[in-house]
Amino acid sequence: MSNGAGDFRSPLNRNVVVQTALRYVDEHGLEALSMHKLGAALGVTAMSLYNHVDNKDALLDGIVEELWSRIELAPNTHDDWRETIATLARALRDLVHRHPHAATLLTSRPIVPTAALRTFDALLRTLRGAGLPETRAIQLLRTMLAYALGFALTELSWSNAGRDHEEKELQRLRQISNMLPPDLPDELLEVGLKVCGACDMTAAFELSLQLMLRGLDVD
Amino acid sequence: MSNGAGDFRSPLNRNVVVQTALRYVDEHGLEALSMHKLGAALGVTAMSLYNHVDNKDALLDGIVEELWSRIELAPNTHDDWRETIATLARALRDLVHRHPHAATLLTSRPIVPTAALRTFDALLRTLRGAGLPETRAIQLLRTMLAYALGFALTELSWSNAGRDHEEKELQRLRQISNMLPPDLPDELLEVGLKVCGACDMTAAFELSLQLMLRGLDVD
DNA sequence: ACCTGAACACCGTTCAAGT
DNA sequence: ACCTGAACACCGTTCAAGT
């Protein structure tokens, strides 16, 4: 018996290593991920992972690839390019919400995986098909990327524990005050509660999204 | 002689520890920061830092505080609230650009320092003074925060080495292709170059900014 | 081809001890 | 009050050795 999973386990490969790493981060947080512990989770020692991944940085890059490959664009039923681009924004925010602990990697690892480019390519095609000039389409894409990713990441970082909006008001306040400085002057407390208050973030996201698209529209 | 700086050095305090930490991250990158090395940079052993900071997480939180306190809002000369909010967006992007290695902390540490709240408070006052309903002002603030932070962070992560736009075209291409997968299909290469291409990011930022503000305007 | 043991320098953190 | 030495468990990574 050479490992806890028995001897019938198929040999490791890069893909299962990366998949397991993402699952591990989803469950235990990014800081908890180590080569040793990931190895243990796979019934193997840390050193064995280096047969499938160059080093830890490469593993993190692998997670980013995996994230981009899991983006789920809603089917583009409407023939409106504004809806198409809104779809990307929602899909990105969804992705961040599904992987809150791994999402920061999307802006901290400087790589653009194939899966991301495929998504961009499809979107640019649609936009061009709708008659948008190419430079405009690219600018639009970049803007939406930045908005959706930025919104989701700040939203997440400022309400980390806040799973659902179902929680009790009192513990919501407690949670917000944990993010605020303990020595916060009274006159700033109100501002903190307002800006960090959970409210309906989905609605806020949609509203700003529509505003942006309208801004593009009147051009 | 108890340390490299001589015996006349004034005793450490939390502020100089945090300041030095930020400077260290600015120079050597976030990954390079360790308690041991920060101690050495201060002419002291790692353990001594724990007299001024609870632990490394608290140190990182301190850096986030420091970052927010270094935001520089351009003076609000115009009486136009759209310019006021644009000023915040530019200041945030500037801040990220001035501290590219530390900036990711802004969305990975779940705290909202006093300096941030003070900035928000001033802005909300101005917006209310211009006649905007409070809920609208807050939503506007959140949107701009997300947009500016998101734009700057994605911009940074996808052109990490790209210091100035003055660089040679060839090495710019080389740099981009470093971010792209080595096995990228040809048909996606063009998309990658377009989306990641440096172009004039400041202009792109401004353009989208104006579009968003215009979207708000026609309401 | 894949995995391991032993080993390395480095990490965060503690605690008792020094001044 | 502030700093240190010794010590701890835990990192990432290498390499020679096993199958």
Side-chain angles (χ1 to χ4, degrees), chain A residues 187-200:
Chain A
E187 74 270 22
L188 289 181
L189 180 61
E190 199 192 356
V191 181
L193 293 180
K194 276 182 207 153
V195 177
C196 307
C199 67
D200 188 342

Side-chain angles (χ1 to χ4, degrees), chain A residues 107 110 142-143 157 195 208 211 216, chain B residues 110 142-143 157 195 208 211 216:
Chain A
T107 55
R142 278 213 199 93
T143 306
S157 112
V195 177
S208 301
L211 286 180
L216 296 163
Chain B
R142 279 213 199 93
T143 306
S157 111
V195 177
S208 301
L211 286 180
L216 296 164

Side-chain angles (χ1 to χ4, degrees), chain A residues 70-84:
Chain A
R70 292 193 185 185
I71 196 168
E72 286 178 9
L73 290 195
N76 187 23
T77 57
H78 313 260
D79 214 32
D80 183 359
W81 62 263
R82 272 181 245 77
E83 262 313 306
T84 306

Side-chain angles (χ1 to χ4, degrees), chain A residues 107 110 112 114 117 121 134 138-139 142-143 145-146 150-151 157-158 179 181 191-192 194-195 197 208 211-212 215-216, chain B residues 107 110 112 114 117 121 134 138-139 142-143 145-146 150-151 157-158 179 181 191-192 194-195 197 208 211-212 215-216:
Chain A
T107 55
V112 185
T114 305
L117 291 172
D121 187 43
E134 165 133 282
I138 289 174
Q139 184 228 331
R142 278 213 199 93
T143 306
L145 231 52
F151 191 101
S157 112
W158 288 0
M179 306 188 316
V191 181
K194 276 182 207 153
V195 177
S208 301
L211 286 180
M212 292 179 63
L216 296 163
Chain B
T107 55
V112 185
T114 306
L117 292 171
D121 187 42
E134 164 133 284
I138 289 174
Q139 185 228 329
R142 279 213 199 93
T143 306
L145 230 53
F151 191 102
S157 111
W158 289 359
M179 306 189 315
V191 182
K194 278 182 206 154
V195 177
S208 301
L211 286 180
M212 292 180 65
L216 296 164

